[in-house]
């Protein structure tokens, strides 16, 4: 244990981990790996929390409700991002001046290599993944994770050259020590209104990414993404010739840095304007840690994107099936629609758990498309008024069964639900996997 890490753990003996699942298990495993002897207890209000069977017998576990005595007797509480700080039991602990942190704060105490991080309402998973892929392409050992893929604590290793983290607003709420070589704040749109008091509350959580950042990378079309403190150098991205942007040379569009071309847009495998923006951010992050951008261009040209994010999963007789299950809010679905090249009819599947969102912004965009709207899931009714073609289904499978017989070459079937998945699926990945299975089934029938 390094001297700085030892200092962080001085005086801490009793630790309570709140919430299991992948993140909670990573916290327990990390705590057990420390040379300092700790008393570790776990609370999960679910009666059968995922992963509880993986804990060894030395860990005391309370499930099905809160155990307030444990919280108020703790030296440190490590809470899952899914637990709101406004939860009364957590508030009682905070009122006793018991520190409440998340896994990212523990990561911040221990990380020894440079860290870059990405937050925003939409696009952060693609930017995180792309940044990691590009850094690895030039021979760096890179730890990629956080809110995407591998929990941050499982990334910690002595041989890492660079960490690339996706950070949600939930994770940032309990993080105060994370030092970043560069912090990217992509955009801000309505999301998680079931968790926050309003947009100002949500935006304030996102702003925490800049607390100890050496460089801020922000969206020059969204003032909300700029750091509120004045002492951070700011780099912007957007679709003009400033900082990281685009330029036109001889009728060809290029991604650019300070007006100088970096790579031709037509050479990229990614599709959609939103992915040009994502590429610019990845380049800005790598530039901030002194990686020569010319060395990552081959990898950028061949990058095809994330699973479940505008992912082509079947193409048969000119009929394309797009899995965009990761579109769990309105802005993400709007981004997917803005990048479409349509020659036929778009069959758009929307619905799930709306999280209190207002879906009306979709209506004018849908009016400009040759679209048939298919609404399913718990909050499917909230979409029906958005377009005259709307049909209501209980499940996604019912919708696809109806769509299949009328498909023609040039048509596009897209799952971009603008909602969370947990009414009918374990998570958005399971929803996307099921869409992919059905899409490939129907594509095979047509072959």
């Amino acid at each position: 244990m390094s001297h700085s890490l030892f200092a962080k753990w001085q005086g801490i003996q009793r630790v309570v981990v709140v919430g299991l699942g992948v993140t909670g298990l990573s916290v327990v495993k990390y705590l057990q790996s420390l040379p300092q002897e700790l008393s570790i207890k776990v609370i999960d209000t679910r009666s059968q929390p995922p992963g509880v069977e993986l804990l060894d017998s030395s860990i005391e576990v309370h499930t099905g409700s809160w155990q307030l005595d444990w919280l108020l007797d703790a030296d440190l509480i490590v809470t899952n991002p899914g637990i709101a700080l406004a939860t009364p039991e957590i508030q009682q602990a905070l009122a006793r001046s018991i520190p409440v942190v998340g896994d990212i704060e523990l990561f911040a105490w221990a990380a020894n290599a440079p860290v870059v991080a990405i937050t925003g309402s939409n696009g952060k998973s693609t930017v995180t993944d792309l940044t990691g892929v590009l850094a690895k392409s030039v021979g760096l050992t890179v730890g990629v994770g956080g809110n995407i893929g591998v929990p941050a604590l499982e990334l910690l290793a002595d041989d890492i050259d660079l960490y690339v983290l996706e950070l949600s607003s939930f994770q940032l709420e309990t993080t105060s020590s994370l030092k970043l070589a560069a912090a990217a704040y992509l955009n801000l749109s309505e999301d998680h209104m079931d968790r926050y008091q309003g947009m100002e509350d949500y935006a304030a959580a996102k702003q925490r990414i800049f607390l100890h950042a050496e460089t801020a990378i922000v969206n020059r079309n969204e003032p909300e993404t700029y750091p509120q403190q004045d002492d951070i150098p700011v780099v912007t991205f957007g679709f003009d010739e400033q900082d990281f942007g685009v330029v036109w040379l001889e009728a060809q569009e290029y991604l650019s840095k300070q007006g100088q071309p970096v790579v031709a847009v037509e050479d990229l495998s990614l599709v959609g304007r939103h992915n040009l923006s994502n590429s610019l951010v990845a380049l800005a992050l790598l530039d901030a840690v002194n990686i020569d951008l010319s060395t990552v261009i081959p990898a950028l040209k061949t990058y095809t994107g994330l699973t479940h994010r505008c992912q082509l999963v079947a193409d048969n007789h000119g009929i394309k099936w797009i899995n965009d299950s990761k579109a769990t809010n309105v802005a993400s679905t709007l981004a997917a629609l803005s990048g479409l090249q349509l020659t036929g009819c778009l069959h758009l599947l929307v619905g799930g758990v709306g999280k209190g969102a207002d879906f009306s912004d979709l209506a004018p965009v849908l009016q400009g498309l040759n679209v048939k709207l298919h609404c399913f899931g718990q909050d499917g009714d909230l979409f029906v008024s958005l377009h005259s073609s709307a049909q209501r289904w209980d499940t996604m499978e019912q919708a696809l069964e109806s769509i299949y017989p009328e498909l023609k070459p040039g048509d596009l079937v897209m799952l971009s639900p603008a909602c969370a998945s947990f009414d009918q699926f374990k998570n958005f990945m399971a929803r996307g996997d099921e869409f992919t299975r059905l899409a490939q089934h129907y594509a095979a029938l047509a072959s």
Side-chain angles (χ1 to χ4, degrees):
M1 182 184 287
S2 69
H3 177 74
S4 60
L5 181 56
F6 178 78
K8 289 288 188 181
W9 286 98
Q10 280 286 83
I12 296 175
Q13 182 180 5
R14 299 180 299 276
V15 183
V16 176
V17 179
V18 180
L20 272 173
V22 174
T23 300
L25 286 171
S26 75
V27 171
V28 173
K29 180 180 177 182
Y30 173 73
L31 294 174
Q32 289 181 304
S33 75
L34 294 173
Q36 182 167 340
E37 186 114 359
L38 296 171
S39 165
I40 305 168
K41 296 180 178 180
V42 173
I43 298 171
D44 197 303
T45 58
R46 295 168 291 188
S47 56
Q48 293 183 307
V52 67
E53 71 281 358
L54 300 176
L55 296 174
D56 65 49
S57 57
S58 67
I59 306 293
E60 286 191 72
V61 183
H62 178 87
T63 62
S65 64
W66 288 95
Q67 178 63 279
L68 190 59
D69 289 349
W70 286 7
L71 292 177
L72 299 184
D73 189 48
D75 300 314
L76 179 71
I77 296 170
V78 186
T79 185
N80 189 285
I83 308 296
L85 288 179
T87 302
E89 290 79 4
I90 299 295
Q91 284 295 308
Q92 288 188 57
L94 289 169
R96 296 272 191 100
S97 298
I98 299 168
V100 177
V101 303
D103 69 310
I104 303 300
E105 180 67 5
L106 298 187
F107 169 90
W109 294 359
N112 289 318
V115 185
V116 299
I118 300 97
T119 197
S121 299
N122 298 290
K124 56 186 179 291
S125 293
T126 297
V127 173
T128 303
D129 186 65
L130 175 57
T131 303
V133 167
L134 298 185
K136 290 174 184 177
S137 76
V138 295
L140 297 182
T141 302
V142 187
V144 181
N147 194 50
I148 176 180
V150 181
L153 289 170
E154 293 185 8
L155 299 174
L156 289 169
D158 293 333
D159 63 345
I160 296 292
D161 298 312
L162 178 69
Y163 292 104
V164 182
L165 299 184
E166 174 186 319
L167 298 180
S168 70
S169 57
F170 298 168
Q171 289 171 314
L172 288 166
E173 288 174 16
T174 53
T175 303
S176 58
S177 302
L178 184 63
K179 295 179 180 178
L180 298 175
Y185 188 168
L186 306 183
N187 45 54
L188 181 69
S189 60
E190 185 179 74
D191 199 5
H192 304 300
M193 291 299 102
D194 52 348
R195 168 87 168 237
Y196 292 104
Q197 296 299 311
M199 285 297 289
E200 287 188 11
D201 191 25
Y202 177 41
K206 293 284 191 190
Q207 278 286 330
R208 294 178 63 84
I209 197 170
F210 296 130
L211 283 177
H212 305 287
E214 294 178 18
T215 299
I217 297 168
V218 301
N219 187 332
R220 57 177 167 269
N221 292 319
E222 294 196 25
E224 300 87 353
T225 65
Y226 282 60
Q228 294 178 347
Q229 57 266 56
D230 298 327
D231 58 346
I232 304 175
V234 173
V235 174
T236 68
F237 65 91
F239 292 125
D240 56 33
E241 297 186 10
Q242 302 176 53
D243 275 2
F244 284 83
V246 297
V247 295
W248 287 83
L249 295 173
E250 298 179 356
Q252 192 169 15
E253 188 178 22
Y254 291 80
L255 302 186
S256 62
K257 176 189 173 184
Q258 295 174 347
Q260 298 302 308
V262 174
V263 61
V265 169
E266 69 174 22
D267 290 340
L268 302 180
S269 299
L270 288 169
V271 297
R273 300 299 289 180
H274 62 295
N275 276 326
L276 297 187
S277 180
N278 293 337
S279 299
L280 289 170
V281 178
L283 292 172
L285 285 165
L286 296 175
D287 187 65
V289 292
N290 301 312
I291 292 175
D292 182 349
L293 297 186
S294 67
T295 64
V296 304
I297 298 309
L300 178 57
K301 288 179 178 179
T302 58
Y303 182 78
T304 56
L306 278 174
T307 305
H308 307 298
R309 191 69 183 100
C310 290
Q311 178 196 14
L312 178 66
V313 295
D315 185 352
N316 194 281
H317 299 296
I319 300 166
K320 294 183 178 181
W321 304 70
I322 303 292
N323 169 22
D324 193 37
S325 183
K326 201 173 188 308
T328 57
N329 56 43
V330 174
S332 196
T333 295
L334 286 170
L337 294 176
S338 72
L340 289 182
Q341 300 293 325
L342 272 179
T343 58
C345 178
L346 168 65
H347 292 267
L348 180 63
L349 284 80
V350 294
V353 179
K355 300 180 290 185
D358 176 4
F359 299 107
S360 60
D361 284 349
L362 287 169
V365 176
L366 294 173
Q367 293 303 320
L369 296 172
N370 178 15
V371 64
K372 290 187 178 179
L373 192 64
H374 301 270
C375 318
F376 70 95
Q378 175 181 303
D379 288 332
D381 288 343
L382 301 178
F383 293 86
V384 173
S385 64
L386 299 181
H387 196 269
S388 59
S389 69
Q391 290 182 272
R392 181 68 163 96
W393 309 97
D394 289 334
T395 67
M396 179 176 67
E397 184 170 9
Q398 289 177 352
L400 291 175
E401 185 178 5
S402 170
I403 290 167
Y404 165 68
E406 62 180 271
L407 292 174
K408 300 174 183 177
D411 287 355
L412 192 153
V413 184
M414 174 183 276
L415 170 68
S416 188
C419 287
S421 58
F422 46 82
D423 56 334
Q424 297 180 345
F425 299 93
K426 180 179 178 180
N427 49 44
F428 76 82
M429 294 86 80
R431 177 172 62 188
D433 288 343
E434 177 64 4
F435 174 83
T436 299
R437 183 189 71 79
L438 291 167
Q440 293 174 348
H441 166 72
Y442 286 120
L445 288 180
S447 61

